[in-house]
Short mmCIF file of all heavy atoms in Angstrom, two decimals:
data_model
loop_
_atom_site.label_atom_id
_atom_site.label_comp_id
_atom_site.label_asym_id
_atom_site.label_seq_id
_atom_site.Cartn_x
_atom_site.Cartn_y
_atom_site.Cartn_z
N LEU A 337 -16.89 18.42 -7.84
CA LEU A 337 -17.81 18.93 -8.85
C LEU A 337 -19.14 19.44 -8.14
O LEU A 337 -19.73 20.38 -8.57
CB LEU A 337 -18.17 17.86 -9.94
CG LEU A 337 -17.03 17.71 -10.89
CD1 LEU A 337 -16.92 16.34 -11.49
CD2 LEU A 337 -17.21 18.82 -12.00
N MET A 370 -21.27 18.53 -13.86
CA MET A 370 -21.19 19.64 -14.80
C MET A 370 -21.26 18.98 -16.28
O MET A 370 -20.38 18.16 -16.57
CB MET A 370 -19.87 20.26 -14.56
CG MET A 370 -19.50 21.42 -15.47
SD MET A 370 -18.40 22.52 -14.64
CE MET A 370 -16.93 22.09 -15.33
N ASN A 371 -22.21 19.44 -17.03
CA ASN A 371 -22.46 18.80 -18.40
C ASN A 371 -22.24 19.77 -19.47
O ASN A 371 -23.16 20.44 -19.88
CB ASN A 371 -23.85 18.25 -18.44
CG ASN A 371 -24.12 17.12 -17.48
OD1 ASN A 371 -24.27 15.99 -17.78
ND2 ASN A 371 -24.18 17.45 -16.21
N LEU A 372 -21.05 19.92 -19.95
CA LEU A 372 -20.74 20.80 -21.09
C LEU A 372 -20.48 20.03 -22.39
O LEU A 372 -21.02 20.27 -23.42
CB LEU A 372 -19.46 21.60 -20.74
CG LEU A 372 -19.53 22.78 -19.78
CD1 LEU A 372 -19.54 22.15 -18.34
CD2 LEU A 372 -18.28 23.58 -19.93
N THR A 373 -19.59 19.00 -22.19
CA THR A 373 -18.99 18.43 -23.41
C THR A 373 -19.96 17.49 -24.20
O THR A 373 -20.73 16.80 -23.57
CB THR A 373 -17.77 17.60 -22.92
OG1 THR A 373 -16.93 18.37 -22.19
CG2 THR A 373 -17.02 17.03 -24.11
N GLU A 374 -19.89 17.63 -25.53
CA GLU A 374 -20.62 16.71 -26.40
C GLU A 374 -19.60 16.26 -27.44
O GLU A 374 -18.53 16.77 -27.61
CB GLU A 374 -21.73 17.58 -27.11
CG GLU A 374 -22.77 18.00 -26.18
CD GLU A 374 -23.87 18.89 -26.75
OE1 GLU A 374 -23.96 18.91 -28.01
OE2 GLU A 374 -24.61 19.52 -25.99
N PRO A 375 -19.93 15.22 -28.21
CA PRO A 375 -18.93 14.68 -29.10
C PRO A 375 -18.27 15.73 -30.05
O PRO A 375 -17.06 15.71 -30.25
CB PRO A 375 -19.70 13.63 -29.94
CG PRO A 375 -20.83 13.17 -29.02
CD PRO A 375 -21.20 14.38 -28.21
N ALA A 377 -18.41 19.06 -29.35
CA ALA A 377 -18.22 20.24 -28.69
C ALA A 377 -17.31 20.04 -27.42
O ALA A 377 -17.85 19.59 -26.34
CB ALA A 377 -19.55 20.90 -28.18
N GLY A 378 -16.00 20.24 -27.64
CA GLY A 378 -15.06 20.02 -26.49
C GLY A 378 -14.57 21.42 -26.05
O GLY A 378 -15.30 22.07 -25.31
N SER A 379 -13.38 21.78 -26.56
CA SER A 379 -12.86 23.09 -26.23
C SER A 379 -13.88 24.17 -26.79
O SER A 379 -14.00 25.22 -26.27
CB SER A 379 -11.54 23.38 -26.84
OG SER A 379 -10.61 22.38 -26.32
N ASP A 380 -14.50 23.81 -27.92
CA ASP A 380 -15.36 24.79 -28.59
C ASP A 380 -16.88 24.57 -28.23
O ASP A 380 -17.60 23.87 -28.89
CB ASP A 380 -15.19 24.61 -30.10
CG ASP A 380 -16.01 25.61 -30.87
OD1 ASP A 380 -16.52 26.61 -30.29
OD2 ASP A 380 -16.10 25.48 -32.10
N ILE A 402 -21.01 13.85 -23.17
CA ILE A 402 -19.95 12.80 -23.00
C ILE A 402 -18.95 13.29 -21.92
O ILE A 402 -18.92 14.49 -21.60
CB ILE A 402 -19.19 12.41 -24.27
CG1 ILE A 402 -18.54 13.65 -24.91
CG2 ILE A 402 -20.21 11.78 -25.28
CD1 ILE A 402 -17.52 13.25 -25.98
N PHE A 403 -18.18 12.34 -21.44
CA PHE A 403 -17.14 12.65 -20.43
C PHE A 403 -17.65 13.23 -19.17
O PHE A 403 -16.96 14.13 -18.61
CB PHE A 403 -16.09 13.56 -21.10
CG PHE A 403 -15.24 13.00 -22.18
CD1 PHE A 403 -14.65 13.88 -23.12
CD2 PHE A 403 -15.00 11.67 -22.32
CE1 PHE A 403 -13.84 13.40 -24.18
CE2 PHE A 403 -14.26 11.15 -23.33
CZ PHE A 403 -13.68 12.04 -24.28
N ILE A 404 -18.81 12.86 -18.67
CA ILE A 404 -19.36 13.51 -17.47
C ILE A 404 -18.82 12.88 -16.26
O ILE A 404 -19.21 11.67 -15.92
CB ILE A 404 -20.88 13.56 -17.54
CG1 ILE A 404 -21.34 14.26 -18.85
CG2 ILE A 404 -21.42 14.37 -16.31
CD1 ILE A 404 -20.67 15.66 -19.15
N THR A 405 -18.02 13.50 -15.49
CA THR A 405 -17.32 12.96 -14.28
C THR A 405 -18.40 12.69 -13.24
O THR A 405 -19.21 13.62 -12.91
CB THR A 405 -16.39 13.99 -13.80
OG1 THR A 405 -15.32 14.10 -14.85
CG2 THR A 405 -15.64 13.47 -12.54
N LYS A 463 -10.33 4.49 -19.38
CA LYS A 463 -9.35 5.62 -19.36
C LYS A 463 -8.00 5.21 -18.91
O LYS A 463 -7.80 4.10 -18.42
CB LYS A 463 -9.88 6.72 -18.36
CG LYS A 463 -11.35 7.05 -18.49
CD LYS A 463 -11.74 8.25 -17.68
CE LYS A 463 -11.69 8.04 -16.22
NZ LYS A 463 -12.75 7.22 -15.72
N ILE A 466 -7.48 7.71 -13.29
CA ILE A 466 -8.63 7.94 -12.44
C ILE A 466 -9.70 6.90 -12.73
O ILE A 466 -10.83 7.24 -12.94
CB ILE A 466 -9.12 9.44 -12.55
CG1 ILE A 466 -9.39 9.87 -13.98
CG2 ILE A 466 -8.22 10.35 -11.87
CD1 ILE A 466 -10.23 11.23 -14.08
N THR A 471 -16.57 8.01 -15.63
CA THR A 471 -16.67 9.13 -16.66
C THR A 471 -17.75 8.64 -17.60
O THR A 471 -17.56 7.74 -18.50
CB THR A 471 -15.31 9.32 -17.36
OG1 THR A 471 -14.33 9.48 -16.36
CG2 THR A 471 -15.36 10.44 -18.27
N ILE A 639 -4.69 13.41 -16.85
CA ILE A 639 -5.85 14.06 -17.27
C ILE A 639 -5.87 15.59 -16.89
O ILE A 639 -6.58 16.36 -17.58
CB ILE A 639 -7.12 13.43 -16.60
CG1 ILE A 639 -8.47 14.03 -17.05
CG2 ILE A 639 -7.09 13.46 -15.09
CD1 ILE A 639 -8.67 14.01 -18.48
N ILE A 642 -5.72 18.31 -19.36
CA ILE A 642 -6.75 18.16 -20.41
C ILE A 642 -8.11 18.74 -19.99
O ILE A 642 -8.75 19.52 -20.69
CB ILE A 642 -6.88 16.70 -20.87
CG1 ILE A 642 -5.59 16.19 -21.46
CG2 ILE A 642 -8.04 16.49 -21.92
CD1 ILE A 642 -5.55 14.68 -21.78
N TYR A 643 -8.61 18.22 -18.80
CA TYR A 643 -10.01 18.73 -18.49
C TYR A 643 -10.07 20.09 -17.90
O TYR A 643 -9.05 20.61 -17.58
CB TYR A 643 -10.86 17.62 -17.80
CG TYR A 643 -10.41 17.12 -16.38
CD1 TYR A 643 -9.60 17.84 -15.59
CD2 TYR A 643 -10.87 15.89 -15.97
CE1 TYR A 643 -9.31 17.31 -14.27
CE2 TYR A 643 -10.57 15.40 -14.78
CZ TYR A 643 -9.82 16.15 -13.90
OH TYR A 643 -9.49 15.65 -12.66
N GLU A 644 -11.30 20.57 -17.79
CA GLU A 644 -11.49 21.93 -17.33
C GLU A 644 -10.81 22.97 -18.23
O GLU A 644 -10.32 23.98 -17.76
CB GLU A 644 -11.08 22.10 -15.90
CG GLU A 644 -12.04 21.65 -14.85
CD GLU A 644 -13.45 22.09 -15.15
OE1 GLU A 644 -13.69 23.23 -15.59
OE2 GLU A 644 -14.31 21.22 -14.90
N GLY A 645 -10.79 22.77 -19.50
CA GLY A 645 -10.09 23.66 -20.41
C GLY A 645 -8.67 23.18 -20.54
O GLY A 645 -7.98 23.21 -19.54
N THR A 646 -8.29 22.66 -21.67
CA THR A 646 -6.91 22.15 -21.86
C THR A 646 -5.94 23.21 -21.48
O THR A 646 -6.27 24.46 -21.48
CB THR A 646 -6.63 21.72 -23.30
OG1 THR A 646 -6.77 22.85 -24.15
CG2 THR A 646 -7.62 20.69 -23.81
N ASN A 647 -4.69 22.83 -21.23
CA ASN A 647 -3.68 23.87 -20.89
C ASN A 647 -3.42 24.86 -22.05
O ASN A 647 -3.07 25.97 -21.83
CB ASN A 647 -2.39 23.24 -20.27
CG ASN A 647 -2.63 22.79 -18.91
OD1 ASN A 647 -3.72 23.00 -18.31
ND2 ASN A 647 -1.60 22.17 -18.28
N GLY A 648 -3.63 24.37 -23.26
CA GLY A 648 -3.54 25.19 -24.42
C GLY A 648 -4.60 26.33 -24.29
O GLY A 648 -4.27 27.50 -24.57
N ILE A 649 -5.70 25.99 -23.88
CA ILE A 649 -6.84 26.98 -23.74
C ILE A 649 -6.59 27.87 -22.57
O ILE A 649 -6.79 29.12 -22.64
CB ILE A 649 -8.23 26.27 -23.58
CG1 ILE A 649 -8.51 25.37 -24.81
CG2 ILE A 649 -9.34 27.23 -23.28
CD1 ILE A 649 -8.71 26.11 -26.09
N LEU A 652 -4.19 30.47 -23.81
CA LEU A 652 -4.89 31.43 -24.64
C LEU A 652 -5.65 32.38 -23.70
O LEU A 652 -5.75 33.59 -24.01
CB LEU A 652 -5.88 30.75 -25.61
CG LEU A 652 -5.23 29.95 -26.74
CD1 LEU A 652 -6.23 29.30 -27.64
CD2 LEU A 652 -4.21 30.78 -27.49
C1 FAD B 840 -11.65 11.94 -17.67
C2 FAD B 840 -12.41 13.14 -18.13
C3 FAD B 840 -13.34 13.82 -17.39
C4 FAD B 840 -14.07 14.87 -17.89
N1 FAD B 840 -15.06 15.50 -17.15
C5 FAD B 840 -15.93 16.33 -17.74
C6 FAD B 840 -17.11 16.74 -17.11
O1 FAD B 840 -17.34 16.39 -15.83
N2 FAD B 840 -17.90 17.57 -17.71
C7 FAD B 840 -17.68 18.02 -19.01
O2 FAD B 840 -18.47 18.74 -19.52
N3 FAD B 840 -16.60 17.66 -19.63
C8 FAD B 840 -15.70 16.82 -19.06
N4 FAD B 840 -14.55 16.33 -19.76
C9 FAD B 840 -14.29 16.90 -21.09
C10 FAD B 840 -13.07 17.76 -21.12
O3 FAD B 840 -13.36 18.98 -20.44
C11 FAD B 840 -12.69 17.94 -22.57
O4 FAD B 840 -12.08 16.74 -22.94
C12 FAD B 840 -11.72 19.05 -22.75
O5 FAD B 840 -12.36 20.35 -22.52
C13 FAD B 840 -11.08 19.07 -24.15
O6 FAD B 840 -12.05 18.91 -25.11
P1 FAD B 840 -11.79 17.80 -26.28
O7 FAD B 840 -11.51 16.55 -25.57
O8 FAD B 840 -12.98 17.77 -27.19
O9 FAD B 840 -10.51 18.24 -26.96
P2 FAD B 840 -10.42 19.22 -28.25
O10 FAD B 840 -11.19 20.43 -27.94
O11 FAD B 840 -10.69 18.45 -29.48
O12 FAD B 840 -8.84 19.57 -28.21
C14 FAD B 840 -7.83 18.75 -28.79
C15 FAD B 840 -6.56 19.55 -28.79
O13 FAD B 840 -6.68 20.75 -29.57
C16 FAD B 840 -6.43 21.87 -28.80
N5 FAD B 840 -7.31 22.99 -29.19
C17 FAD B 840 -8.67 22.89 -29.34
N6 FAD B 840 -9.13 24.10 -29.69
C18 FAD B 840 -8.09 24.93 -29.64
C19 FAD B 840 -7.97 26.36 -29.95
N7 FAD B 840 -8.99 27.12 -30.21
N8 FAD B 840 -6.72 26.86 -29.94
C20 FAD B 840 -5.66 26.15 -29.55
N9 FAD B 840 -5.72 24.86 -29.31
C21 FAD B 840 -6.90 24.24 -29.40
C22 FAD B 840 -6.55 21.44 -27.42
O14 FAD B 840 -5.81 22.23 -26.51
C23 FAD B 840 -6.10 20.00 -27.37
O15 FAD B 840 -4.77 19.90 -27.27
C24 FAD B 840 -13.81 15.30 -19.19
C25 FAD B 840 -12.79 14.68 -20.04
C26 FAD B 840 -12.14 13.60 -19.51
C27 FAD B 840 -11.13 12.95 -20.45
#
Side-chain angles (χ1 to χ4, degrees):
L337 282 154
M370 180 152 101
N371 296 249
L372 288 72
T373 309
E374 298 176 10
S379 301
D380 183 10
I402 58 165
F403 291 157
I404 306 307
T405 298
K463 311 188 293 287
I466 53 167
T471 306
I639 184 58
I642 297 174
Y643 62 22
E644 278 316 319
T646 62
N647 283 357
I649 299 295
L652 292 182

